[in-house]
Amino acid sequence: MITLSVSTGQQVDFADITSRVREEVASSGVQNGIITIYVPHTTCGVTINESADRDVASDIKMQLAKLAPRDAGYSHLEGNADSHIKTSLIGSSEQVFIEDGKLVLGTWQGIFLCDFDGPRTRKVYLKILSD
Ligand code: ZN
């Protein structure tokens, strides 16, 4: 298993980790297989979506803020219930196929670490399986 360390810069921050995942696939030498990208946090997830236009990430953040407002009478005493809810909506893992040594992503797709309780340094676990 590979561990990436990703630092975020804002309370809610989407960090594009596509190039770092690509580098790990390249150095693994695996030509055909699958990679799992897993985030071991309760207030931080991972998603695949458009990376060409950063407004897409901004729009997702805006809508998640409407779905789970910061303060809505939650029971969780830590004060970050919205961060937990957003993480469950986004999910904690993604899988991408590897063909000819490359990630199989659509033209506009990128892999984002989605921090909902930053800024801080987060871990991303990668597991690469060969065919
Ligand atoms: Zn909490």
Side-chain angles (χ1 to χ4, degrees), residues 42-43 76 78-81 84 117:
T42 61
T43 57
H76 183 50
E78 204 182 15
N80 62 352
H84 292 290
D117 202 14

Side-chain angles (χ1 to χ4, degrees), residues 11-52:
Q11 200 240 329
V12 177
D13 197 8
F14 284 22
D16 189 336
I17 60 170
T18 313
S19 60
R20 295 186 64 186
V21 174
R22 272 204 183 100
E23 285 166 18
E24 296 298 338
V25 169
S27 50
S28 76
V30 170
Q31 287 301 298
N32 296 290
I34 193 165
I35 182 168
T36 299
I37 302 119
Y38 176 77
V39 175
H41 301 291
T42 61
T43 57
C44 179
V46 63
T47 194
I48 294 174
N49 212 305
E50 174 156 347
S51 61

Side-chain angles (χ1 to χ4, degrees), residues 62-128:
M62 182 182 72
Q63 282 302 320
L64 287 172
K66 289 180 187 169
L67 288 168
R70 187 73 181 161
D71 186 9
Y74 303 112
S75 299
H76 183 50
L77 292 175
E78 204 182 15
N80 62 352
D82 64 307
S83 312
H84 292 290
I85 292 164
K86 289 167 189 165
T87 299
S88 277
L89 290 171
I90 286 290
S92 297
S93 69
E94 291 285 0
Q95 286 192 314
V96 181
F97 299 126
I98 300 163
E99 292 290 336
D100 300 324
K102 295 191 170 108
L103 289 175
V104 181
L105 288 171
T107 305
W108 309 113
Q109 285 183 315
I111 306 163
F112 293 89
L113 173 126
C114 307
D115 197 345
F116 296 111
D117 202 14
R120 57 172 117 177
T121 301
R122 300 296 201 165
K123 283 180 190 162
V124 179
Y125 295 147
L126 307 177
K127 176 69 94 176
I128 300 169

